[in-house]
Amino acid sequence: MKPVGWQAWLLTETPGGRAQARAGRWYRNLRRFARNPLAMSGLFVVLALIAVALAAPLLAPARAVVLQALPDRLLPPSLAHPFGTDELGRDLYARVVFGARITLSIVAMVALIVLPIGLGIGLPAGYFGGWIDLVLMRLTDIFLAFPRLILALAFAAALGPGIRNAVIAIALTAWPPYARLARAETLSLRAREFVLAAELQGASAWRILRTQILPLCLPSVIIRLTLDMAGIILTAAGLGFLGLGAQPPSPEWGAMVASGRDVLLDQWWVATIPGLAIFVVSLGFNLLGDGLREIFDPRAA
Amino acid sequence: MHPRRLLLAALALLLPVAAHAATPANTLVVAKQIDDIITLDPAEAYELSDEEVITNVYDRLIRYEAEDLTKMVGGVAQSWVVSPDGKTFTFTLRPGQKFHDGSPLTAEDAAFSLQRVVILNKTPAFLITQLGWTPENVGTLIQAVDAHTLRFTTPVRFAPSLVLNLMSSVVGSVVEKKLAMAHQAGGDLGNAWLKSHDAASGPFVLISWKPKESVTMQANPAYRLGPPGVGRIVIRNIVESASQRLLLEKGDVDIARNLTPDQIAAVAKRKGIRIEEFPGSDTWYVGLNQKDPRLANPLVRQAMRYLIDAQGMTGSFLKGSFKVHETFLPDGFLGALDDDPNHLDVAKAKALLAQAGFPNGFELRLDTPNTTPYTDIAQSVQQTMGLAGIKVAIVPADLKQVLTLYRARQHQMVLVNWGPDYLDPHTNADTFAYNPDNSDKAAEKPLAWRNDWAILQLSQETLAAAQEPDTAKRVAMYHDLQKKVLEEGPFMILFQPTFQIAEQARVHGFIAGITSDLTYYRKVTK
């Protein structure tokens, strides 16, 4: 079947301008992505997480998140409590729904911190080389030398419990791979002709990094970040499980799993349902990241 | 050996184990969290599991026996006489007692054991150094008059019942002098060796202590009250309570000691498993730092007492494992007052807060250890305080961090528990109602100090109660002290625990009293 209309315009082999070529490339990528059912299900999970987080007050009453009803503790799932109740009689459905906000905000905040730090260290290291590279990369090595979860635990324990401190702890341990990645990309790009051309035209290092190198580094860094999201969620849940993450009574999923641990054998839902939420969301981010990599990774293309 | 044969031999060893899930007939296997054990030397031990093992391995000068937990009787000592001035105690030891290695137990060993505690000056030493004993004077003040007579004099005069109760605590354990000195290293009176070895005369012989793994004890057939009911006790360190439950249900252990109320309710339904309850002696309370001007306001403290639903908690998630108890002496102690006047009353609390100038409440921080049931109790307190506008922010942290903050008086509210050191009311009065020096550099830092409660007058009354020789008068004095702390103190005392254990139905005779010193394995049969 020969494409017609706007499809033909997007898929033409001879685009009429830069805008058309760019739109066409995006469209092809999108079609490749849409043909991958696993990637689509990942995207669906992530979109669902965002939707649940945004619409939480519509899906469940905010009051129910912390409202204790001691006579109604540890009730199995029912119509009144679709996911049952926890050890203090709180509605698990409302807690899981509002927990999505905490998870999403942790993920978003970590991403917002990690990207600038990783790029800010990786790009100059790769571009300038020499002692700048040496200093920045040894610094990165120091952070990489510790197991990630252990380092996050140490930071969280030192900073004190709380979501903000958990985010800082996770971000501090998550940035080194991004610095490495950005540096490697920069190394391979800085000797290319278009960079040399920009240099010859008198562009400053800052301008070259920003306009020539950064845009080409970003896709691989973003894919890496998407793949890392699962790890970030698990680390955050791990901190919550150990009591170093969100403070009670906030409905952080990891802390909810921890509180259900003692009653796992008889009241399985208390730990299992938030556990499932963690599992599904981590899997979703992983699948989405895999799908994105297949599109953007030149080796797979 | 050929590898394949080795494999077959290994399999042959494994098979019988797999076939019999039940524990050996003459061995009692106990699942318990015992990672708190630091040492098994009675002059150094101060953790709950330390004391539980030591009380079963070492005999003590004075004891409370499993046959009647409320009656103070002679242990190593048969009888004693107190001088009229209340300062000199003379003990006559039972004749014919022997240590586990067969050597005779003499007054020389008993005197050495007490001197050793004072000279080593480890954690539990304060129990008897408060009597005025120092490393310099114990040589003359504690003496073996002859092989069967021990005499000591205390520079400070305390009630005889208090002194005798101290002799029934862990420091009253009698250590074999010859054996301890044979293993002395660098003048430590055998301390390093005794951490994990036995120089004792009690009902069980310590076979091994593997840190964070297990303690194994073997029956002493020559024990003065007759041989124990089972030949061997193995206490396994199982930290997760869910694992303890599974081991019990599979028959791999005979007794599970640390199940939660929900787990107890679940295993109680199973055939072949029985639940037993023993009273605990800890005091669970919320400390209110008087450095905070709001908490120093008596009206505010009174209002807050009406904002805790202690009955609701003991009726639900604490059911069976705690009871409401609001005075500082736990039930089971001499002079304990059973008076629990407070209950959830939001209207009353709101009126009191308005009277105090806080009609809209205020914000408070509550520090608490990050484990259950602390976090559950904290969240219940958070909710009920919120009903009157007091917004509580819970800060859960590792127990050690919470205690560090607390000891530095940097908390606002703190949820913790206190365990008595010995079986005498003075042990709790000494900390809840005693604070002679409230300065930051005070030498003693009792709980009253930690909450910045300056009480010179009350401290005098506490000392007077400790020295009162007449027991009936002493009881009245402790009743009075408890009422004052309940009404004016910086503590919201909430609960006294009840220990629930689950055991195989064929196991009988395990007895536990209100402190870990009163845990008895010798009467167990199966």
Side-chain angles (χ1 to χ4, degrees):
Chain A
M1 194 180 76
K2 207 172 150 51
V4 289
W6 56 271
Q7 272 189 324
W9 181 82
L10 282 169
L11 291 177
T12 178
E13 295 293 328
T14 52
R18 278 174 82 176
Q20 192 184 355
R22 193 174 291 163
R25 199 167 66 239
W26 273 102
Y27 181 66
R28 283 194 193 91
N29 282 340
L30 205 64
R31 295 227 313 189
R32 280 233 307 278
F33 187 85
R35 276 198 297 273
N36 182 343
L38 281 179
M40 283 306 282
S41 57
L43 180 69
F44 173 77
V45 168
V46 173
L47 289 177
L49 173 74
I50 295 170
V52 167
L54 289 178
L58 303 176
L59 295 170
R63 214 167 56 88
V65 174
V66 292
L67 183 74
Q68 300 166 16
L70 295 179
D72 297 340
R73 60 193 296 269
L74 301 174
L75 292 180
S78 65
L79 275 181
H81 304 285
F83 292 168
T85 59
D86 70 3
E87 75 285 357
L88 291 171
R90 295 172 296 205
D91 182 36
L92 275 173
Y93 167 72
R95 287 178 70 74
V96 170
V97 164
F98 276 84
R101 290 190 154 188
I102 296 179
T103 301
L104 194 67
S105 64
I106 289 177
V107 163
M109 286 195 285
V110 170
L112 281 178
I113 299 175
V114 161
L115 270 189
I117 298 183
L119 290 171
I121 288 186
L123 291 182
Y127 185 76
F128 296 111
W131 65 268
I132 295 183
D133 184 25
L134 208 67
V135 170
L136 291 177
M137 281 304 109
R138 290 305 79 76
L139 182 73
T140 314
D141 285 346
I142 292 173
F143 277 86
L144 277 173
F146 295 96
R148 206 167 131 184
L149 184 61
I150 309 269
L151 192 61
L153 281 178
F155 277 125
L159 293 167
I163 290 186
R164 199 187 53 197
N165 289 342
V167 166
I168 295 173
I170 297 171
L172 279 175
T173 55
W175 66 266
Y178 299 91
R180 281 258 181 108
L181 187 65
R183 174 180 174 271
E185 294 273 336
T186 313
L187 276 179
S188 73
L189 290 171
R190 80 166 178 196
R192 295 274 185 88
E193 289 81 357
F194 61 89
V195 176
L196 295 178
E199 270 175 12
L200 284 174
Q201 285 171 357
S204 66
W206 163 242
R207 186 182 166 80
I208 291 172
L209 280 177
R210 191 166 52 85
T211 61
Q212 309 294 323
I213 295 179
L214 179 65
L216 290 170
C217 277
L218 262 185
S220 51
V221 171
I222 287 177
I223 290 161
R224 165 91 208 203
L225 189 65
T226 320
L227 281 170
D228 248 11
M229 288 296 179
I232 291 168
I233 292 170
L234 289 177
T235 311
L239 291 178
F241 184 84
L242 296 170
L244 295 168
Q247 288 162 245
S250 70
E252 202 275 323
W253 292 344
M256 288 166 70
V257 172
S259 74
R261 186 170 47 153
D262 286 341
V263 294
L264 186 62
L265 295 174
D266 300 298
Q267 287 88 20
W268 54 268
W269 54 89
V270 182
T272 308
I273 285 173
L276 271 179
I278 296 170
F279 169 73
V280 169
V281 170
S282 321
L283 187 69
F285 272 108
N286 247 332
L287 294 175
L288 177 67
D290 265 346
L292 287 177
R293 191 180 55 195
E294 273 177 32
I295 293 165
F296 287 110
D297 194 339
R299 275 162 297 181
Chain B
M1 205 190 275
H2 191 271
R4 193 181 292 163
R5 256 188 238 160
L6 191 70
L7 187 71
L8 282 175
L11 275 177
L13 278 175
L14 280 174
L15 278 175
V17 179
H20 302 283
T23 53
N26 201 24
T27 300
L28 181 80
V29 184
V30 180
K32 181 174 186 266
Q33 184 170 3
I34 53 166
D35 51 8
D36 58 332
I37 297 184
I38 295 170
T39 173
L40 295 177
D41 180 346
E44 188 182 19
Y46 207 57
E47 304 303 319
L48 295 177
S49 300
D50 296 355
E51 292 182 349
E52 172 174 327
V53 173
I54 288 170
T55 191
N56 281 288
V57 171
Y58 287 86
D59 209 353
R60 299 178 177 184
L61 269 179
I62 307 277
R63 294 209 80 130
Y64 289 84
E65 291 292 3
E67 286 75 8
D68 183 356
L69 289 173
T70 60
K71 202 168 144 213
M72 183 194 280
V73 293
V76 167
Q78 188 168 36
S79 59
W80 53 89
V81 181
V82 186
S83 66
D85 69 355
K87 285 184 168 182
T88 301
F89 293 70
T90 308
F91 296 84
T92 306
L93 307 194
R94 289 175 203 280
Q97 298 184 84
K98 284 195 165 47
F99 284 108
H100 293 154
D101 66 357
S103 321
L105 186 157
T106 65
E108 184 64 29
D109 296 300
F112 167 75
S113 303
L114 288 174
Q115 291 163 353
R116 190 172 171 270
V117 172
V118 177
I119 293 167
L120 285 176
N121 198 19
K122 302 278 185 187
T123 323
F126 82 93
L127 292 173
I128 49 175
T129 54
Q130 65 181 338
L131 299 173
W133 288 340
T134 63
E136 292 75 34
N137 70 17
V138 283
T140 49
L141 294 178
I142 306 173
Q143 280 189 337
V145 179
D146 59 46
H148 292 107
T149 312
L150 168 77
R151 177 174 299 149
F152 62 65
T153 308
T154 64
V156 182
R157 183 179 169 228
F158 274 124
S161 53
L162 169 55
V163 176
L164 292 171
N165 268 326
L166 290 171
M167 293 304 134
S168 79
S169 73
V170 66
V171 292
S173 305
V174 178
V175 177
E176 183 179 350
K177 182 178 183 181
K178 191 181 59 168
L179 201 55
M181 293 311 283
H183 291 92
Q184 169 154 261
D188 72 346
L189 303 177
N191 173 243
W193 186 76
L194 278 173
K195 270 183 207 282
S196 56
H197 291 86
D198 167 308
S201 62
F204 288 93
V205 182
L206 178 69
I207 302 292
S208 73
W209 163 46
K210 297 176 189 151
K212 305 206 172 187
E213 200 183 314
S214 69
V215 168
T216 306
M217 300 183 282
Q218 192 162 334
N220 169 17
Y223 183 56
R224 65 178 166 84
L225 291 171
V230 285
R232 198 173 261 248
I233 310 279
V234 179
I235 306 174
R236 291 176 58 189
N237 181 39
I238 311 289
V239 176
E240 280 287 329
S241 57
S243 310
Q244 291 195 5
R245 175 182 167 188
L246 285 175
L247 288 170
L248 181 76
E249 290 182 353
K250 295 258 154 59
D252 290 331
V253 300
D254 296 308
I255 300 181
R257 295 279 300 275
N258 309 108
L259 300 188
T260 65
D262 291 317
Q263 289 164 342
I264 288 281
V267 294
K269 294 187 198 119
R270 286 179 76 102
K271 245 177 92 179
I273 290 179
R274 188 179 49 235
I275 310 297
E276 284 201 70
E277 290 191 357
F278 305 100
S281 63
D282 279 13
T283 297
W284 287 58
Y285 67 96
V286 176
L288 306 171
N289 193 343
Q290 302 299 292
K291 279 187 193 273
D292 188 306
R294 299 163 304 179
L295 298 177
N297 184 331
L299 289 170
V300 170
R301 292 205 300 277
Q302 211 182 333
M304 288 170 74
R305 293 186 212 280
Y306 288 118
L307 290 174
I308 291 186
D309 189 13
Q311 284 81 3
M313 290 187 252
T314 52
S316 58
F317 61 90
L318 299 180
K319 194 169 191 163
S321 62
F322 285 93
K323 64 174 183 176
V324 177
H325 189 79
E326 298 184 13
T327 51
F328 71 72
L329 285 181
D331 277 346
F333 267 71
L334 177 76
L337 183 67
D338 209 2
D339 188 7
D340 310 318
N342 298 313
H343 53 272
L344 184 65
D345 190 335
V346 181
K348 227 181 213 173
K350 274 184 173 164
L352 283 164
L353 281 177
Q355 205 184 329
F358 299 102
N360 301 317
F362 46 83
E363 288 180 16
L364 268 182
R365 200 182 71 223
L366 171 60
D367 291 292
T368 177
N370 57 5
T371 48
T372 53
Y374 296 102
T375 44
D376 293 338
I377 296 171
Q379 290 180 74
S380 175
V381 170
Q382 182 181 47
Q383 163 147 317
T384 46
M385 292 267 171
L387 297 176
I390 300 180
K391 288 185 200 67
V392 175
I394 299 174
V395 185
D398 192 58
L399 176 63
K400 280 203 179 99
Q401 288 177 322
V402 175
L403 291 180
T404 307
L405 200 76
Y406 188 26
R407 287 178 182 141
R409 302 204 270 196
Q410 283 171 353
H411 62 292
Q412 291 181 337
M413 283 203 286
V414 66
L415 170 67
V416 279
N417 55 321
W418 164 264
D421 297 316
Y422 48 91
L423 258 183
D424 188 273
H426 185 57
T427 182
N428 277 15
D430 196 26
T431 197
F432 283 101
Y434 186 70
N435 185 18
D437 177 5
N438 197 38
S439 70
D440 281 339
K441 285 183 184 142
E444 290 172 88
K445 297 181 175 176
L447 299 182
W449 180 90
R450 292 190 203 171
N451 288 293
D452 197 42
W453 194 34
I455 36 164
L456 277 179
Q457 172 63 27
L458 207 63
S459 302
Q460 293 304 320
E461 292 173 29
T462 295
L463 272 187
Q467 292 164 352
E468 175 56 52
D470 184 291
T471 304
K473 271 191 201 154
R474 223 181 147 211
V475 166
M477 292 166 96
Y478 282 114
H479 280 178
D480 184 48
L481 282 171
Q482 286 172 85
K483 273 193 192 126
K484 283 179 178 157
V485 172
L486 176 61
E487 281 157 20
E488 302 154 25
F491 310 102
M492 297 193 285
I493 297 175
L494 307 175
F495 307 119
Q496 179 177 353
T498 303
F499 294 114
Q500 292 172 301
I501 65 148
E503 59 193 352
Q504 307 290 353
R506 65 172 182 281
V507 175
H508 295 278
F510 174 75
I511 292 170
I514 54 175
T515 66
S516 57
D517 282 321
L518 303 180
T519 309
Y520 301 91
Y521 285 110
R522 67 180 166 83
K523 292 180 78 74
V524 172
T525 56
K526 59 179 267 194

